[in-house]
Amino acid sequence: MGALVPDLPKVEQHIVDMTNQVRQEKNLPALKVDAMLSKAARAFAQSVANSGKFSHTADGRTPAQRAEAAGYKHCDIAENLAMDENAAGYDTGALALQAIAGWMNSPPHRANILRASISEIGVGVARAPGAKPKFISVELFGQPAAKSLTFKIRNVAKVAVTYAFGGKSYDLKPGVSVVHTSCSQDQLVISQPGGIFSSGSEIARITAENKKLYTLKAGANGAPTLDIATRSTTP
């Protein structure tokens, strides 16, 4: 009996479906298949299969460079790469499951699948030359540049404030302005630090938006208040 032969286009679709199932279980939005990312993923899978070089730069380019060459203008790019071989071959579903299981058991690859700053995906699967069935699977994740956001936060109050955005915390002294660019709409949490005899207090908790100017001003009692304005151009 010969080795099992998977239907590679269906394997690609199964990988997309399984990836989205995992994301939805974690309350993350499903990824949309993008033709340019798919083109780049398939070309790289075939290149790795043919060359036998197994790395994210096997063709001398990074995932971002491959996406750009395919015409994809991005804000964020990530890639998963897998190699699976079995003398008995794989049926269509088993090959997709093998790739997904391997990625989910690897923290960096799992993090890519659950990445919050991506919204699109392309998948490529190719068979390597040779008698023993060996398959290369590529997931290329992206966030289009059009979905990036840029905003400015400035402090014209007379006291320092702190704020958190994108998993990081920042100090903002009086008279200072900072511009942030992000691939996703994260929460912006602004607080007034506490003193020796007082605890800190939260000033505002909002979702950061594109082309917004967030200004900390002195309120009636001297405490900072937040003013939000829309800029017609990027801050």
Side-chain angles (χ1 to χ4, degrees), residues 139-197:
E139 281 189 310
L140 189 57
F141 306 99
Q143 177 78 323
K147 290 191 176 182
S148 66
L149 64 91
T150 300
F151 68 89
K152 178 186 283 187
I153 180 169
R154 65 177 181 175
N155 185 2
V156 298
K158 296 181 180 180
V159 296
V161 300
T162 63
Y163 67 96
F165 177 74
K168 296 182 179 180
S169 296
Y170 304 87
D171 295 321
L172 191 65
K173 296 180 180 180
V176 174
S177 299
V178 179
V179 174
H180 284 275
T181 298
S182 175
C183 291
S184 60
Q185 287 187 314
D186 292 325
Q187 274 203 328
L188 175 62
V189 182
I190 306 169
S191 304
Q192 183 174 4
I196 298 176
F197 302 107

Side-chain angles (χ1 to χ4, degrees), residues 80 100-115:
N80 283 347
I100 288 289
W103 290 327
M104 290 302 293
N105 286 324
S106 165
H109 297 93
R110 177 187 175 91
N112 284 341
I113 288 174
L114 299 178
R115 201 175 182 117

Side-chain angles (χ1 to χ4, degrees), residues 33-120:
V33 174
D34 177 82
M36 289 177 284
L37 291 178
S38 298
K39 177 182 177 181
R42 289 181 182 128
F44 186 55
Q46 193 63 62
S47 174
V48 172
N50 291 341
S51 70
K53 298 177 181 179
F54 188 75
S55 81
H56 289 284
T57 56
D59 63 350
R61 298 181 296 175
T62 65
Q65 289 171 331
R66 289 190 289 273
E68 291 163 3
Y72 190 80
K73 296 181 179 180
H74 61 86
C75 175
D76 193 17
I77 287 288
E79 183 180 79
N80 283 347
L81 177 63
M83 178 175 63
D84 297 293
E85 57 182 320
N86 188 337
Y90 296 92
D91 67 26
T92 298
L95 180 55
L97 183 60
Q98 181 87 355
I100 288 289
W103 290 327
M104 290 302 293
N105 286 324
S106 165
H109 297 93
R110 177 187 175 91
N112 284 341
I113 288 174
L114 299 178
R115 201 175 182 117
S117 59
I118 56 169
S119 61
E120 298 179 338

